[in-house]
Each structure stands twice: as C-alpha cells, then as structure tokens.
Amino acid sequence: MDLGVRWKLHGDGRTPAPGAVVRPDERLSWPRTVGLGAQHVVAMFGASFVAPVLMGLDPNLAIMMSGVATAIFLLATRGRVPSYLGCSLSFVGVAAVIRAQGGTSATVTGAVFVVGIALFLVGLAVQRFGARIIHATMPPIVTGAVVMLIGFNLAPVTASTYWPQDQWTALLVMLFTGMALVCLRGFWSRIAIFLGLVFGYGISWAFDRIFGRIHSMSPSGKVTDHWRLDLSGVSKADWIGLPHFHGPSFQWSAILVALPVVIALVAENAGHVKAVGEMTGDPLDDKLGTAISADGVGSMLSTAVGGPPNTTYSENIGVMAATRVYSTAAYWAAAGFALLFGVCPKFGAVVAAIPGGVLGGITVILYGMIGLLGAQIWLHAKVDLRNPLNLVPAAAGIIIGVGNVSMKFTGDFSLSGIALGTLVVITGYHALRAFAPAHLKKQEPLLDEGTSAYDAQSPRAKS
C-alpha cells in the first residue's frame, strides 16, 4: 500500500530549477527538507499559539496534537495533499460561549469532538456523492454568512476581555501586526501574527521596566496592579514533560453551539484542496472527501485527550507559494518538530504568559479576518446580494449571530448567537428557495470554487 512516504530527489536536491516546483512526491536534500519543515512550524505558530490560549486549553497539547493530526492527514491523503493541520480559530467563539454558560474545558472539547464526528461524516458523504452534495446543502451565500457570523461574534471577547487589560500595548501590537501583514513580503508576511506576538512580548517587557505595574483588569477579571508580562511560570516549568490530558464531557447545549463550525471547516478544507491542486497542477477533487474526513479524525483524536480541534492552515499554503516546494516530506519534518515542542512544558509556559494587551491587539485583526473570510467566499462565488433570496437569510442570521440574539424554547433549552444565527441562515435560505420564483433561483458556483486567498498565485491564474 502506497502511504506517500517515499520521495524522489528533485534535481540536485538544492534548489528548484527556474519555473519548476518540487512536487508532493519529491524532496530536496534532507537538511533543506528539515529546514523547510521548521519554516512551516513557525508559519503556523502564531495562530496555533493564540487559539488554545483563547480557548482556555493547554498550548503544549495543542502543538503536540497538531503534529499528530498532520501525520494522520498525510497518511490518509497518501501524500498527495501537502498540508499542516493546526489549531482552528473557528472554535474560539464557540469556546467563549460554552464557558460563559458555565462549561469547563472538558465541555468544550466534548462539544468539539462531536463536530469532528460530523466533519468525518461529511467527508464520507463527499467521497460517496461528490462535491456537489456540499453545494446542495451549503451554497456560497450560506457558507459565507456562517463564517462571517462566527468571526464577528468574537468582537465582544476582544472588546471586554483582552483590550481593557492594556489598551496602549493592544494598540501598538495591532498597528505593528497590520503593518507586518501589509508591508512584509513572502515568508515574513506569512508569519506576521507570530511577529506580532514577539513584538508584543518586547513592548510589554519594556513598559514594565519603564512604567512599572499597570493598574487595569487582570486575566482573572479583577482590576489590580500587576505586571504586563509575568514569566514566573516559565522558570518553574520543566524542560521535558507530557502536557495535561483530560477526557471530554458531552452536553447538548454546548454541542448545538459548536456544530455550526462544521460549515466553516468544510469551506477551509475545500479552499485548501483547490488551492494546492492549482499550485501543483495536480487536480485533487478526488481527494476532497478524504481531506475532510482526515481533518475530522485528527480533531476527534485531539479533543479526545483534551486538545483543540485542527484544520488546514492557509499560512502554510503561503510558505509553499513563496518557496515553490510542495514536498510532503517537509510536512513530516514539521509534524516531528511539533511533537518535540509538545513535550517541552517550558515552551507551554512561555505561550501561556502572553499578556492580555498583546492578545487584544492580535485578536482585533484575527477575529476580523475570520469574519471577512465569509465576505471573501461571497466575492469569489459572485454571490448577488441584490437577490432577496440571498440577502434576507444572510442578513437575519448575521445580525442574530453578531448580536448574540437568544431564543428560549423551554426552561432548560435555548439557542443563541452562533447556533441560532446558523440555523436561521440554513433553514431560512432553503425554505425561501422552496417558495421563491424561478428568476431568483439562479445557480451559484460550488463552494470549492474560489475560497482560498491564494488562488491568484496558482499556475493557472498566472497563465
């Protein structure tokens, strides 16, 4: 059985020839391959650092399980789809809602475990019936609206939790990260979030030396005098040790909040597979269902032991586009690095010490980018918002999701925010479509036709 773990040496093993690419089944010399793997780890670090911290989960375990999920994904796709699976930011809002309802880390991971099952089943359905089953249930207007409301639902988290801890640090980090995203080129622009975190650490340390303690809301929610950057836990942490594992706990209220994120994950995987296929010149439509299912399996395994869910990372597509090296050998090296970081508690302590003000500046941009990915899906699919069939369900669902509107059905059961907004978008669209006149039912493109920011860098787009 070919598991995609054998690679031919590309050329002399040093650099690709002008205009050539290193295909997934090829590799450069092993030292260069390991170096590229390290680049992929750095590229995913920014978001994979932030996501578990925002979800209240162990960052060491998150990094470790991202390596495990990546290995599963590479084996499942037989090495044809180069990808790194890092912690999904789409669940940050879900985790915040569940914790606000009194849920624990086990409740969060239990709800997300069920999402992993759902994603796995969607992948099996796509393998059986083809990508058009996605279009039938989740056309671009629905997908874009759900992704948008998931992202923008997070705005109050930044405004009330992180930004008030240190508004000036947050402002500076926001400006620096924005400048890095816009002004830097190639690989450096792909790690802008990571650079923003490093800058934030430095600014927080400098402000502590210059201005002393800050009187503001601490991470615990109390207004006190405290240091912006507290590294006391780093010196106490061991260099080698296993992360903290825990089992999931299942509650229907939490599961219903989390399930809508399946739509965002399907969109991310579809866009990733399409973008990689275009860049490598290898049509990967036949691997879409496998990729979705593998993502689901990786997320189930991670959440089963207390880690966060995973998804394909566009940051790593950027590294491939910049280097023109699509070798899956580099991703195996990246997975190995992630496993090593996962068994270093001192590394986790550094991540856990990220100052609240730094998270405030990062999340202003990050959450907005998640929300605007929904608008990107609309733009690429040429969704007509003048059509009331598209406009009405999307408008209603987004306002419900962003405003955290709630509906109480019984004393023990209610829907609000992300869950209610998603339900309104999906059921509203299909119900209205059943009664709409024929001229409003114009066929829309498939979900996977243009959901990646890297379409413009594909060989086809350049020709």
Side-chain angles (χ1 to χ4, degrees):
M1 181 183 295
D2 182 15
L3 297 177
V5 292
R6 294 180 179 179
W7 303 275
K8 296 174 292 184
L9 188 66
H10 177 87
D12 61 2
R14 295 181 179 178
T15 56
V21 300
V22 179
R23 296 178 56 80
D25 61 347
E26 297 177 329
R27 64 170 177 84
L28 298 177
S29 65
W30 281 116
R32 286 173 173 79
T33 297
V34 171
L36 287 166
Q39 281 195 63
H40 281 299
V41 171
V42 174
M44 69 86 183
F45 261 9
S48 281
F49 275 170
V50 173
V53 173
L54 298 178
M55 295 175 68
L57 300 176
D58 185 348
N60 268 76
L61 184 56
I63 298 299
M64 174 187 285
M65 296 311 297
S66 74
V68 173
T70 298
I72 291 173
F73 186 92
L74 294 173
L75 290 173
T77 58
R78 302 291 191 268
R80 283 186 61 197
V81 187
S83 178
Y84 194 94
L85 268 63
C87 182
S88 175
L89 284 160
S90 299
F91 288 92
V92 171
V94 166
V97 171
I98 293 173
R99 290 186 182 279
Q101 296 174 348
T104 63
S105 293
T107 312
V108 171
T109 54
V112 178
F113 180 88
V114 177
V115 174
I117 295 175
L119 189 63
F120 173 73
L121 295 176
V122 169
L124 293 182
V126 172
Q127 289 182 56
R128 174 66 178 84
F129 301 105
R132 292 190 176 275
I133 190 175
I134 299 176
H135 170 65
T137 54
M138 296 182 294
I141 181 61
V142 170
T143 309
V146 172
V147 172
M148 188 175 289
L149 69 86
I150 287 173
F152 292 156
N153 177 267
L154 297 168
V157 177
T158 293
S160 61
T161 302
Y162 298 118
W163 193 278
Q165 292 184 39
D166 188 353
Q167 60 177 1
W168 296 112
T169 296
L171 178 63
L172 290 173
V173 170
M174 180 192 73
L175 294 174
F176 176 88
T177 305
M179 290 288 289
L181 283 164
V182 173
C183 299
L184 297 181
R185 294 290 182 268
F187 170 72
W188 294 105
S189 69
R190 307 304 175 195
I191 62 169
I193 300 298
F194 175 72
L195 296 177
L197 289 172
V198 174
F199 174 80
Y201 267 96
I203 286 293
S204 298
W205 179 85
F207 281 2
D208 280 343
R209 305 285 82 74
I210 297 170
F211 303 112
R213 295 173 185 257
I214 185 174
H215 182 77
S216 70
M217 187 176 71
S218 68
S220 63
K222 298 179 180 179
V223 177
T224 61
D225 290 321
H226 60 93
W227 297 111
R228 297 167 181 83
L229 180 61
D230 182 5
L231 295 176
S232 59
V234 178
S235 60
K236 299 175 183 177
D238 296 327
W239 279 103
I240 299 176
L242 290 175
H244 174 68
F245 297 98
H246 66 78
S249 174
F250 303 98
Q251 294 182 9
W252 273 112
S253 58
I255 292 170
L256 291 174
V257 170
L259 275 175
V261 183
V262 170
I263 297 175
L265 297 182
V266 170
E268 289 173 352
N269 276 276
H272 183 96
V273 171
K274 178 180 174 60
V276 171
E278 296 241 358
M279 288 191 293
T280 61
D282 179 19
L284 296 172
D285 291 347
D286 60 317
K287 287 295 181 182
L288 177 58
T290 303
I292 294 173
S293 290
D295 190 356
V297 171
S299 292
M300 282 190 286
L301 185 58
S302 178
T303 53
V305 296
N310 296 289
T311 188
T312 51
Y313 259 34
S314 61
E315 289 90 339
N316 296 95
I317 298 183
V319 173
M320 291 190 292
T323 61
R324 301 181 67 80
V325 178
Y326 306 102
S327 172
T328 53
Y331 282 103
W332 278 102
F337 279 120
L339 290 173
L340 291 176
F341 278 116
V343 294
C344 179
K346 198 170 286 291
F347 159 78
V350 172
V351 176
I354 299 175
V358 177
L359 291 176
I362 293 290
T363 54
V364 162
I365 294 176
L366 211 54
Y367 292 170
M369 288 170 65
I370 295 171
L372 289 176
L373 176 61
Q376 179 188 335
I377 291 173
W378 287 346
L379 288 172
H380 279 289
K382 295 182 173 62
V383 172
D384 184 6
L385 291 179
R386 295 170 298 179
N387 185 339
L389 177 58
N390 295 329
L391 181 63
V392 172
I398 289 171
I399 290 299
I400 288 172
V402 174
N404 210 32
V405 175
S406 178
M407 282 195 67
K408 198 167 188 177
F409 295 92
T410 69
D412 300 322
F413 179 72
S414 65
L415 288 174
S416 63
I418 295 173
L420 182 60
T422 300
L423 185 64
V424 167
V425 173
I426 296 177
T427 60
Y429 174 82
H430 288 290
L432 290 173
R433 188 176 179 83
F435 295 100
H439 72 279
L440 295 181
K441 300 179 182 180
K442 183 180 178 181
Q443 185 76 3
E444 294 181 283
L446 292 177
L447 170 65
D448 59 347
E449 290 189 5
T451 56
S452 170
Y454 299 97
D455 286 347
Q457 298 181 11
S458 68
R460 190 178 303 172
K462 292 180 179 179
S463 60

